[in-house]
Amino acid sequence: MLLIRCPWCSEREQTEFSYHGEAHIARPATPMDQTDEQWGDYLFFRSNTRGPHRERWLHAAGCRRWFNLLRDTATGQILAVYRPDEPAPAATAG
Amino acid sequence: MPSVIGLTPMDGVTPILDARPARRAAQMNRLAGGGGIDRSRPLDFRFDGRDYQGYAGDTLASALLANGVRIVGRSYKYGRPRGIVSAGPEEPGALVTLGSGAALESNIRPTMIALRPGLEAFAQPSPAGTGPDPLGWLADRFSRFLPPGFYYKTFSWPRRLWPFYERMLRSAASAAPVPERPDANRYEHRYMHCDVLVVGGGPAGLAAALAAGRAGASVVLADENAELGGALIDEPDTSAGCAARTWVATMVGELDSLPEVETLRRTGVVAFHDHNYLIAVEDRGDAAAPPPAQRLLKIRAREVVLATGAVERPLVFPDNDRPGVMLAGAVRTYLNRYAVMPGRAMVVFTNNDTAYRTALEAAGAGARVTVVDIRLQPQGALVRQARAAGIGIHPGHVVTAVRGRRAVRGVEIRPLTDDGRGVGTAAEELPCSIVAVSGGWIPSVQLFSQSGGRLRFDSDVGAHVPGEPSTLNRSRAAGACNGSFSLAACVAEGFAAGQAAAGGGSGAGVPHPPPGADDEEAALFLPHVPGQLPGKSFVDLQSDVTVADIALAEREGYGAVEHLKRYTALGMGADQGRISALNGLAVLADQRGVGIEALGHTTFRPNLKPVRFGAIAGPHLGPSFAPQRRTPMHPWHEANGAVFEDTGTWIRPFCFPRPGETIEQAVRREAHAARIGVGLLDASTLGKIEVQGPGAEEFLDRMYVTTRRGLAVGRCRYGMMLNENGVVFDDGVTTRLAPDRFLLSTNSSGAARVLRWLEEWLQTEWTDLDVFCTCVTEQWANATLVGPLARDLLRRVTDIDLDPARFPFMSMRQGTVAGLPARVFRIAYSGDLSFEINVPARHGLALWESLIRAGEAFGLTPYGTETMHLLRAEKGFIVVGQDTDGTVTPVDLGQSVPAGTTRDFVGKRSLFRADMLRGDRKQLVGLLAADPSLVLPVGTHLTDTPQPVPPVPTLGFVTTSHFSPAVGRSIALALVAGGRGRLGTTVTAYRRDGGPHPVTIVPPCFYDPDGERRHA
C-alpha cells in the first residue's frame, strides 16, 4: 500500500485516496464541434504509459481535494506530487 | 467412464483410521533425556479418536511422532497415506482439523500447533478416498485417469453429464470440513510503525535486530515460531550446555533490555506491500487463551531486514511420499528440540553435507543409520566425522524404491550412472523405518520477491536468491534467505543489515556466533532420480503432482512456469509451494533441456501462508462492519412496527404493517391512502448538496441536461446529471435558494458520489469558477406529505400560504411547520400533490410526531420505501441504478436533447455519437402482462419469439415490477431494444420458472398520464 503525500495533508495511506486515471486530458472547448473520432479520443484513449505517468488522485477520505502524481507505473515509485494549478513536472522529476 | 469409479468414494466421509478402542499409547519414540520439552508436565490429547500423551513444549507433530503415529492424513488426489514431513510452516504432507463446532479449524499444520491439554485433532478426509485403505488404493490405481488438466479434459464433455461432475468437484473441493457455526474466537487489528522491521528471528535476524536496536532505532522483530533462534535451537543439547542456545539466550536477553525493541513470537509476516507496508499474523495461542486469538498486524516500517531463512529441499524419487520419508533437518529438530526419534533404523538420503549432522546425531542417539549420498566422492568434514563414527555411506547412489505403503519398511538403492541420467542394475535393499532426505536448502525469498526485488538463480546454491532490490521499497535480505548459509556469514550479514537499516552504528561489537563446522562441500543437484522406475515420484505432496505429471503437462504445451502451475496445481496448496516449487522448476527444466535460470519462476503472491478470515475481518463484524445511518425519525419508526430495509448505508422503513397484516397488505393500504387521502414518507435520506458562489448558476448549467439558467429564487427544476459518456448518473431537483445559492437533491445513496463528481469538475477542469459545494444531507430531516389531502393537513400546522396560485408546483417556501423553522418544497415525488417539509435534523422527530398527531383527522398513513417505489413506478418515474444501468442515456429514457451548440453540458456531445443514435438502443417502456395478476420478476428477459429455442437474442429486461392497486393490475417498467417503436406490440417475457408469457409494450406511465394530479 503506497504512502502518498497529499499536498494539503502530508503523508497518508493509499486507502485514503482514490485514483482517477491519467491527468492533463484537456476537455475540448467546443465539444459539439468535435468529430466522433476526436470526441472518442478524448473520452477513451489514454497513453497507458509504462514508466513515469502523470495521474490524478483524490484524497477521498481526507481533504477531498484533487491533486496529481508523477508516478512510475512499472515500479510504483512516486516521483512528484503537485496541485492541479501547478505546472506539470518533467517526467524525470524526483 | 472408469474415472468415475475411482472417484465415487468422495461421497462418503469416514474416519481415516479404523475405529479402534480408545487407549493411551506409550510415547515409544521419546528419548530418555534431552530436548526442550518439560517432562514434568505431561499433556493428554486426542488424535482421530484415540488418546495420547505428550509433554509441554511439544508441537502436535512432535507429540504424534513420539507416539509412533505414522499416518496423519491422506493425499488430496490419490488418497495415499501421508505422514509428517517437516517440523515447520512448510509442512506439505500432514494437514489436520482441530476442535469442533464453533472452535473448528481446518487445514492446520500440526508442526505449528503447540500441544495443549485436551487438544483434539482429526486427520482430514481426503476427497479421493477416505476409508482405511482400499478406497484410497482404488484412486491410486486409477490415477492414470486423473492426469493433470483432468478437469478441462473430462468435464467439458459430454455436456449433459456436467451436473454430475459439478457435484463431484464440489465434494472434492471441500476436503477440509467447513465450520458449521461462526468462529467463536476474537480477533484484533494492530497498527505498528517502526524504524526497522526484522522478519525472522534466526541468527541473522537476531543480529540485525541487535545492531539496529543498539543504534537507537525502534525495532520490531517478528518470528513465526514459538521460540526465537531459528535453526540454532535445533542444535544438540550437549552435557556441557548448548553453545547455540546460550548464544540465542544472550542475544534475546540484550534485545529485551533495549526499550525500543519489541520481539514478537508466533508472528508470521505474510505479505510485503508497497512502501514497506507489511502484514503479519500474531498467533496468541489458542481458543483456551484469553482473547484475542490472533492479531493482524499492519506494520509500516521505514526499513525492513528480511532474515527469513531457508527451508530444506526434498529429493524426488519413487514413492517419496510414504509415511516415514522426512526432511533430514526436521528429523534433527525432532531429535534435539523434542527428544523424539521418529524411527530406530534410518536411511539418510542426501546430495549435500548438512544431512550428515542428522546422521551423526541420530546415530549418537542410538539409531542404526546408513547414508546414501548422490555425490560420488563426498569428502567434507561432516562426512569424515560420519565415516569415523562408523556410519555406512553409499556414495554415488540413489534411492530407487521405497518399501511399505502405510509406513516405510525399507528402501532399494542403486548406483547412479556416470552421466547422472540413469541408474545401474545392481540394487541393494536397506531395511529402515525412516528416510531422512536432504536436497539442499531453498532460501525463503518470497517476501523479498513480494517487495519488488528481482530474484536470480544461483547455481551454487541451486536455488533463487535475492538479486536487484526494489526501487520502491527499502528492504535488504540477510543470512540464509540471501543464500548465505554459514552461521558466521548469517550473523555478520544480519548485523551489517541491521546497522545499515538503522542508519548508523559502528562496525564494532559483532556478536560472536557459536562455534560450528562450516566447511561444507558443494551439493550435487539432480532434478529427480532418473530411470524407468515403478512408483510415483512426487514433486508436490500437497497437490499430488508427480514428475510424470510435469512431463505430461510439458508435452501438452504447458511448459511455461505459470502454465505448469495452473495445469497441474503445483505449488497451489496451503503450503504455497514453499518446498515444492523449486523441484517443479528443476523437473520442468530437465524436460525442456534448459537450465532452471531460463525458466523464471512463478509469482510469490501474498499471503505467504493461509490467513484466517477471522483475522482479516478483525473486529469489523456485525454492527461494526459498516456504518449504519438512521434518520432523526427512526425511533418513531421502530416504536410503530416498521419493517426495515437497508438502502445503501441507510436503514429505512420498508413498510408499516399493522398487527395481523401481511407486508403485501400493508403496502396496498399505504399506497391506497397516498393516492386517495394523505400519506407520510420519511425522505430524510434524500441527498442534499448546497452549491454556492458567483459561479454557481453557470456551473450547474454545465452539469445538468436541463438548463439551470434563469431559475427564479424559490423555484425548483428537475434534471438529470450525466457522466461524460452521456450515461445518466443521477437525477434530482434543483432549488434556487438565493441568486448565488442552490440546493441540489440527489438519490438517497448518491450524495457522496455526486458531491465528488461536482468537486472533480470544479477542482480539475473549471478552476476559474468561484463555487463551493457542501453536503447537507444530514443537516435536514425531510417529512413528505403525499396525496390529495396533503394541503388540507399541512394548512393546520403551517404559517406558509399554501394557495396554489401563490405556492405553485415546483416551488419552495420558507416558514414554520408545527412551530419549527422549515423549508417546504412542492414537488411531485409520487405524481400526486405533495409537500416535502425540511426542518433542521434535530427537529425531525418533533416534526414527524406533530404531523402524525395533526393527521389523525385525515387518516394520515405513514408509508415506507416499497410504497414509495410503487407510487413512482405507477408514474414511470425512474430510479437511477434500478431502471438505468451504465449504458442508459436521457434519450433512452425518452427525454429529447437539442443538438445545438449554444449550450454545452457534461455528457452532451456523447449523446450524438453514432452509437448513441442507433434506433435499436434499449429504451424505457412500460409493460402489461397478459395476466393482470402476474408480477414479472425484475430481470425477466423479453424475446421476440413466443417459443424461443436457445440461443435467443434478448430484447431487454424488466427493471421495475409491482402490483398496482391504483391501476388495478400488475405493471412493469423495462428497457427494450427500440422500445418506443414497439408500443402496442406484444412480446414474450421469458421467465426462469414458469416459461414464456405474453406482455404488451406500453408508454412508461400507468397513472394520471397527463400529470393533472400534481397540480391540484
Side-chain angles (χ1 to χ4, degrees), chain B residues 18 75 295 358 370 375 512 537 600 710 845 890 894-895 904 954 991 999:
Chain B
D18 301 10
S75 79
R295 277 195 191 127
T358 307
T370 311
R375 299 172 296 180
H512 289 292
S537 296
L845 186 57
Q895 183 167 352
D904 185 36
T954 179
R991 295 169 296 160
V999 294

Side-chain angles (χ1 to χ4, degrees), chain B residues 629-642:
Chain B
R629 300 162 90 188
R630 296 174 173 81
T631 72
M633 292 79 134
H634 194 85
W636 190 93
H637 304 329
E638 273 189 327
N640 287 274

Side-chain angles (χ1 to χ4, degrees), chain B residues 714-858:
Chain B
R715 294 308 301 263
C716 316
R717 193 171 286 167
Y718 171 80
M720 293 179 190
M721 204 180 271
L722 312 184
N723 66 21
E724 193 72 305
N725 299 320
V727 169
V728 178
F729 169 82
D730 193 69
D731 68 338
V733 169
T734 305
T735 304
R736 192 166 206 157
L737 300 172
D740 60 353
R741 192 170 168 201
F742 294 82
L743 179 69
L744 275 50
S745 73
T746 76
N747 281 317
S748 287
S749 55
R753 218 161 34 103
V754 172
L755 180 67
R756 200 181 69 187
W757 181 238
L758 299 176
E759 287 286 353
E760 180 174 356
W761 286 93
L762 285 173
Q763 291 184 36
T764 67
E765 194 66 35
W766 299 319
T767 50
D768 55 320
L769 289 179
D770 190 1
V771 178
F772 290 89
C773 302
T774 312
C775 182
V776 295
T777 302
E778 294 188 356
Q779 275 62 45
W780 295 91
N782 177 332
T784 297
L785 288 169
V786 173
L789 299 181
R791 184 180 287 114
D792 299 332
L793 167 53
L794 183 56
R795 192 169 279 135
R796 300 268 180 104
V797 290
T798 186
D799 60 359
I800 297 169
D801 181 358
L802 301 180
D803 185 291
R806 287 180 295 277
F807 189 178
F809 179 57
M810 294 306 269
S811 56
M812 184 277 291
R813 295 291 177 267
Q814 303 199 44
T816 65
V817 175
L820 304 165
R823 289 173 180 164
V824 179
F825 301 79
R826 198 184 148 194
I827 297 166
Y829 197 57
S830 67
D832 265 307
L833 175 67
S834 56
F835 295 95
E836 292 186 14
I837 305 161
N838 280 242
V839 296
R842 64 184 180 281
H843 299 313
L845 186 57
L847 170 70
W848 185 271
E849 288 174 338
S850 297
L851 290 172
I852 292 285
R853 273 193 303 276
E856 273 172 26
F858 296 84

Side-chain angles (χ1 to χ4, degrees), chain B residues 52 270 341 378 414 467 516 534 694-695 734 846 902 999:
Chain B
Y52 297 98
V270 294
M341 173 73 82
R414 295 187 195 214
T734 305
T902 48
V999 294

